[in-house]
Amino acid sequence: MGVLRMGYVHARVTDLEKAKQHYGDTMGLYPVLVEDGTAYFKGWDEWDHHSVVLEEGGVGVAKFGFKVADPADIERFEDRATRFGCAVSRMSAGENREVSDGIRIVLPSEHVVELYHDMTVLGTEVGTHNPEVFPRHLVGIGAPRLDHALITAEDVNLMERFFREVLDFYPSERLATSLDADADCIATWLTVGNTVHDIAILKGPNAKLHHFAFELSSWSDILRAGDLMAMDDVPVDVGPTRHGITRGQTIYFFDPSGNRNEVFSGGYVAYPDRPCVTWTPDQLEKGVFYISREVNDRFTAALT
Ligand SMILES: [Fe+2]
């Protein structure tokens, strides 16, 4: 089956206490564990031990974890990534807290991706037996789950090739210099399941993070999240508004360290034989922010 989803984002934060307030009290993620200057969180609708790891010291993303279906997938991807020209190393069980053995791949963009086949299961409050539709005592925004991330890379074409050829992702949408088949890719939105994107890549400096995003259920949940950001003095970048690309409804905002987050809802269902949507630069602003058709300078310049 291969890659199932993006299982975790391991981010760096400058102040762990402030980060715990943001991700725990405002975002409403469950604080699972704090150990050695590192905090672990999960959303209420996530079963595995954690989906967000926050390590004190710096900003940006240390690595992403992608969960695969079967231990045999690890060897297959190790071989493919090596042949693609990436540096690949083995990681042991427990090297990441509660995470199985696997491999660590340095992408052409210098981002680090870990593939693992198992993580300790904590379950959810609602469970699997006659479940309620959500836990009654959610905190703050009460984000159900981690959804996707946007990273920057100098060579977007190469990165798209990596995710397609090595990990079997497919692009749902692309921003290209023209409609020609060999046009240069400025950005690509890639998925491995049925969500509209698991990871997106935008032309820019290597090894940088633009944002990571949490799924919400509806436009009204997005607006309620905005209200809570106002209550908690969260710096909002853009929104609430809608994307043309993915059709998602969104707010972009910053954590206390300056890492950009997003709450996202309403993207369409993707599948591999759905034709890839292409956006061209003349409609860039409409693609990014459909209603205002404006992109502020900070949105492209602020990276961590
Ligand atoms: Fe996003």
Side-chain angles (χ1 to χ4, degrees):
M1 275 184 69
V3 176
L4 298 173
R5 63 179 173 279
M6 188 169 68
Y8 55 85
V9 169
H10 184 133
R12 297 191 187 91
V13 296
T14 50
D15 183 322
L16 193 60
E17 286 311 308
K18 286 184 182 166
K20 280 161 59 182
Q21 283 174 17
H22 174 78
Y23 289 94
D25 298 342
T26 303
M27 296 309 301
L29 300 174
Y30 286 53
V32 177
L33 175 72
V34 180
E35 187 181 72
D36 302 330
T38 304
Y40 299 77
F41 291 88
K42 72 184 272 297
W44 71 258
D45 206 15
E46 292 174 322
W47 304 80
D48 286 354
H49 183 268
H50 59 262
S51 59
V52 174
V53 182
L54 305 172
E55 180 183 330
E56 192 162 55
V59 293
V61 64
K63 54 195 180 183
F64 295 101
F66 286 94
K67 191 176 188 181
V68 302
D70 190 273
D73 292 324
I74 299 285
E75 254 175 69
R76 191 160 49 93
F77 291 132
E78 180 181 34
D79 182 51
R80 283 195 202 169
T82 305
R83 278 193 281 127
F84 196 86
C86 297
V88 183
S89 54
R90 286 261 168 178
M91 62 181 200
S92 336
E95 230 175 281
N96 294 295
R97 185 71 199 238
E98 310 299 328
V99 177
S100 71
D101 62 315
I103 54 171
R104 186 171 293 129
I105 306 171
V106 182
L107 304 186
S109 61
E110 300 163 35
H111 294 92
V112 175
V113 160
E114 293 176 334
L115 302 183
Y116 64 99
H117 58 85
D118 197 22
M119 187 190 285
T120 303
V121 175
L122 289 186
T124 72
E125 270 188 73
V126 298
T128 55
H129 180 206
N130 303 332
E132 303 298 349
V133 293
F134 56 83
R136 179 174 293 250
H137 299 294
L138 289 173
V139 172
I141 292 168
R145 66 177 187 88
L146 179 68
D147 190 75
H148 67 267
L150 171 60
I151 57 177
T152 58
E154 287 172 11
D155 191 336
V156 177
N157 285 331
L158 182 63
M159 286 290 282
E160 188 186 271
R161 268 190 54 217
F162 171 85
F163 276 97
R164 294 178 79 161
E165 294 174 17
V166 176
L167 299 181
D168 295 327
F169 283 53
Y170 60 96
S172 53
E173 308 211 12
R174 305 174 90 207
L175 171 65
T177 48
S178 75
L179 293 175
D180 299 340
D182 60 349
D184 204 27
C185 197
I186 303 163
T188 181
W189 287 258
L190 293 148
T191 181
V192 73
N194 290 116
T195 61
V196 69
H197 56 337
D198 291 294
I199 193 150
I201 301 152
L202 170 69
K203 197 168 184 63
N206 279 345
K208 291 291 187 182
L209 172 72
H210 186 276
H211 69 270
F212 56 95
F214 298 93
E215 184 217 22
L216 299 182
S217 299
S218 66
W219 174 243
S220 59
D221 284 353
I222 295 281
L223 185 59
R224 180 176 174 277
D227 292 339
L228 285 154
M229 289 173 206
M231 288 181 205
D232 289 354
D233 281 330
V234 174
V236 171
D237 188 11
V238 184
T241 185
R242 181 205 274 279
H243 296 300
I245 298 163
T246 74
R247 301 181 195 151
Q249 299 143 358
T250 178
I251 304 174
Y252 288 102
F253 52 101
F254 295 100
D255 79 4
S257 305
N259 296 310
R260 190 186 284 98
N261 298 155
E262 181 188 16
V263 285
F264 179 88
S265 74
Y268 55 82
V269 173
Y271 37 89
D273 58 334
R274 188 182 197 279
C276 178
V277 168
T278 302
W279 292 82
T280 44
D282 57 307
Q283 295 295 314
L284 165 70
E285 288 82 2
K286 189 174 179 180
V288 178
F289 295 120
Y290 189 71
I291 299 168
S292 67
R293 286 149 282 143
E294 283 177 0
V295 179
N296 71 47
D297 292 341
R298 182 182 52 209
F299 188 73
T300 46
L303 306 169
T304 56

